[in-house]
Amino acid sequence: MTLQKLLNRIEKYAGCEYGTECSRASARIRHMATIYTDYLSMTVNLGYDLNNTVYQQPRDLETAHNKMVMETNKEEMDKRLNEVAERYPEIRHIYRKLRNKYFYEDDNYIIRPARSAEEIVILHHCVGGDNYLKKHNTGKTYILMLRFKAEPDVPYITVEIDTKNPRILQWDGDKDRKPDEKNMQSWLDTWLTKMKTGTLTEAVRTANIA
């Protein structure tokens, strides 16, 4: 594509021509130029053939751009998940052992250790960083999942616990907020007491292995 053809296409996407009386023309053209070049860059990086006019000249540029953003983010996430699985394999290996120690459920909630490094990263919390993953992998602290019993696979609260001197270091929900804080703090305090006194054993024995 020649430079002139590129400029013509950007003007077409913008819906106005450079130098016209339209007060928004210049800003609109700059915006669409950024969107289009960004789209082309992502398209190349994702391996699409830009000789194909379907990819080279999408009918709806902003929709096509958003699609490429989603694909790029997915590719980056998949890369991150593969990376942490390789770097922190012990998180997966020690899950069963930790479950026997930390698992608990009542009529409303269930708490258990993270099954893998990938599960922690998917939460998009600060605990998905390498510092927390390394501490869990080496047994310095552990990341636990607290969820509604009726929705055990839906993220609710993430807990970090000190393994040497059992205590809760932090707990957070979505976007690092504390949902239903007073009630959940009380529930966690009760769980911690049961864990320290060894009274979680019966709950583990009668629960189905996840």
Side-chain angles (χ1 to χ4, degrees), residues 49-68:
D49 181 11
L50 280 184
N51 291 318
N52 187 329
T53 56
V54 171
Y55 300 121
Q56 184 188 110
Q57 304 171 17
R59 290 184 179 181
D60 185 332
L61 176 59
E62 299 207 59
T63 296
H65 177 268
N66 291 339
K67 178 177 179 293
M68 290 300 165

Side-chain angles (χ1 to χ4, degrees), residues 7-188:
L7 294 175
N8 291 343
R9 178 144 297 276
I10 291 172
E11 287 184 338
K12 182 178 180 179
Y13 284 132
C16 51
E17 296 180 6
Y18 186 76
T20 62
E21 296 299 320
C22 176
S23 61
R24 296 182 58 252
S26 180
R28 177 69 177 166
I29 289 172
R30 283 198 300 271
H31 170 71
M32 295 311 295
T34 300
I35 293 293
Y36 191 41
T37 53
D38 191 39
Y39 162 79
L40 292 176
S41 176
M42 289 187 291
T43 303
V44 170
N45 289 338
L46 289 169
Y48 288 93
D49 181 11
L50 280 184
N51 291 318
N52 187 329
T53 56
V54 171
Y55 300 121
Q56 184 188 110
Q57 304 171 17
R59 290 184 179 181
D60 185 332
L61 176 59
E62 299 207 59
T63 296
H65 177 268
N66 291 339
K67 178 177 179 293
M68 290 300 165
V69 169
M70 292 179 65
E71 287 193 32
T72 297
N73 289 343
K74 180 182 183 302
E75 188 172 83
E76 291 176 354
M77 176 56 75
D78 288 345
K79 181 179 179 181
R80 173 64 174 163
L81 294 178
N82 289 333
E83 175 192 344
V84 299
E86 183 176 338
R87 292 181 63 184
Y88 309 108
E90 282 304 307
I91 297 177
R92 184 184 298 276
H93 294 161
I94 62 177
Y95 166 67
R96 294 293 180 184
K97 177 182 177 181
L98 297 186
R99 191 180 189 282
N100 289 337
K101 181 176 182 179
Y102 295 111
F103 175 88
Y104 178 68
E105 66 178 354
D106 60 14
D107 292 338
N108 299 310
Y109 304 103
I110 180 172
I111 190 169
R112 61 166 176 80
R115 294 190 179 109
S116 65
E118 303 97 290
E119 183 179 42
I120 298 173
V121 168
I122 288 173
L123 292 171
H124 300 293
H125 290 184
C126 63
V127 295
D130 286 301
N131 181 47
Y132 294 97
L133 294 171
K134 183 177 181 180
K135 287 192 291 184
H136 188 126
N137 195 66
T138 57
K140 186 175 181 180
T141 68
Y142 291 136
I143 303 300
L144 310 174
M145 311 298 181
L146 193 165
R147 299 189 173 165
F148 286 102
K149 187 176 180 180
E151 299 178 313
D153 295 321
V154 178
Y156 183 48
I157 287 172
T158 306
V159 181
E160 182 186 20
I161 186 169
D162 188 330
T163 60
K164 304 303 180 183
N165 176 28
R167 60 192 176 95
I168 294 173
L169 298 175
Q170 62 174 316
W171 67 270
D172 290 292
D174 184 40
K175 297 178 180 177
D176 296 327
R177 297 173 181 169
K178 286 182 166 55
D180 194 11
E181 184 171 0
K182 185 176 180 180
N183 176 51
M184 297 319 303
Q185 183 64 61
S186 176
W187 194 94
L188 285 167

